[in-house]
Amino acid sequence: MEILLYIAITVLTFSFMELVTWFTHKYIMHGFLWYLHEDHHQPKYPHVFEKNDAFFIIFAIPSIALFYFGAVPKLNFMFFIGLGIFFYGIAYFLIHDVLIHQRFKWFKNIKNKYLIGLRKAHKVHHKHLDKEDGECFGMLWVPKKFHKQFKA
């Protein structure tokens, strides 16, 4: 029974991270930490790394801390909260950096309606080069209209 609780905590944390991402993206990255996020909105950024990559470290810190405090002195629920954050980080990397921005050319010919909808929504987000007037701040959940535009 305990394993079902840990699976539920991991899944709920993963889902909750979409809300955290939306809030962080809209109010922090496009707010007081815009100086770290701004280079990500510049077209054809010439460097391998962006200042925006600092957010991977910022989000990794609570996950690492929860892994530690969830494993010491014995396994507890905090470990699975850290696991949910970690899984969301992997999904974020694969969707945002690989699928959408093509920092790695792994998924070039995607035909999946859901994934194409995510890509379109993020492109709409990047139409705005400044921190104001943005839209589509989520990563895995975007308005339905972006999924309906796909024609097979």
Side-chain angles (χ1 to χ4, degrees), residues 14-71:
F14 181 94
S15 301
F16 183 70
M17 284 305 296
E18 179 66 9
L19 292 174
V20 171
T21 297
W22 179 89
F23 180 85
T24 304
H25 192 186
K26 184 172 177 83
Y27 294 107
I28 296 174
M29 297 166 87
H30 280 254
F32 69 95
L33 289 182
W34 173 250
Y35 69 95
L36 289 176
H37 188 58
E38 183 178 12
D39 62 351
H40 182 64
H41 278 262
Q42 302 311 310
K44 299 184 180 175
Y45 188 74
H47 306 291
V48 173
F49 293 106
E50 304 170 346
K51 286 190 284 183
N52 186 60
D53 294 332
F55 289 105
F56 279 106
I57 296 166
I58 292 169
F59 278 108
I61 290 170
S63 182
I64 292 167
L66 286 162
F67 277 134
Y68 176 78
F69 291 111

Side-chain angles (χ1 to χ4, degrees), residues 6 9-10 12-14 16-17 20 57-88:
Y6 289 154
I9 290 171
T10 304
L12 288 173
T13 301
F14 181 94
F16 183 70
M17 284 305 296
V20 171
I57 296 166
I58 292 169
F59 278 108
I61 290 170
S63 182
I64 292 167
L66 286 162
F67 277 134
Y68 176 78
F69 291 111
V72 176
K74 69 176 201 165
L75 192 63
N76 64 65
F77 73 96
M78 288 189 281
F79 181 89
F80 297 94
I81 293 173
L83 191 61
I85 295 170
F86 174 72
F87 285 155
Y88 189 85

Side-chain angles (χ1 to χ4, degrees), residues 60-123:
I61 290 170
S63 182
I64 292 167
L66 286 162
F67 277 134
Y68 176 78
F69 291 111
V72 176
K74 69 176 201 165
L75 192 63
N76 64 65
F77 73 96
M78 288 189 281
F79 181 89
F80 297 94
I81 293 173
L83 191 61
I85 295 170
F86 174 72
F87 285 155
Y88 189 85
I90 290 171
Y92 188 94
F93 170 75
L94 291 173
I95 297 295
H96 183 262
D97 292 287
V98 178
L99 176 71
I100 294 172
H101 289 290
Q102 297 285 307
R103 289 176 87 176
F104 301 92
K105 310 292 183 201
W106 297 342
F107 311 127
K108 290 182 79 171
N109 300 314
I110 295 294
K111 302 281 186 232
N112 180 283
K113 182 178 177 180
Y114 170 75
L115 296 175
I116 290 171
L118 294 181
R119 185 185 288 165
K120 284 183 177 182
H122 202 74
K123 284 185 177 181

Side-chain angles (χ1 to χ4, degrees), residues 127-146:
K127 284 173 119 178
H128 305 278
L129 300 178
D130 296 322
K131 71 180 194 178
E132 284 85 20
D133 302 325
E135 56 185 308
C136 297
F137 291 94
M139 179 52 52
L140 301 177
W141 186 89
V142 298
K144 272 185 175 177
K145 68 180 181 183
F146 295 106

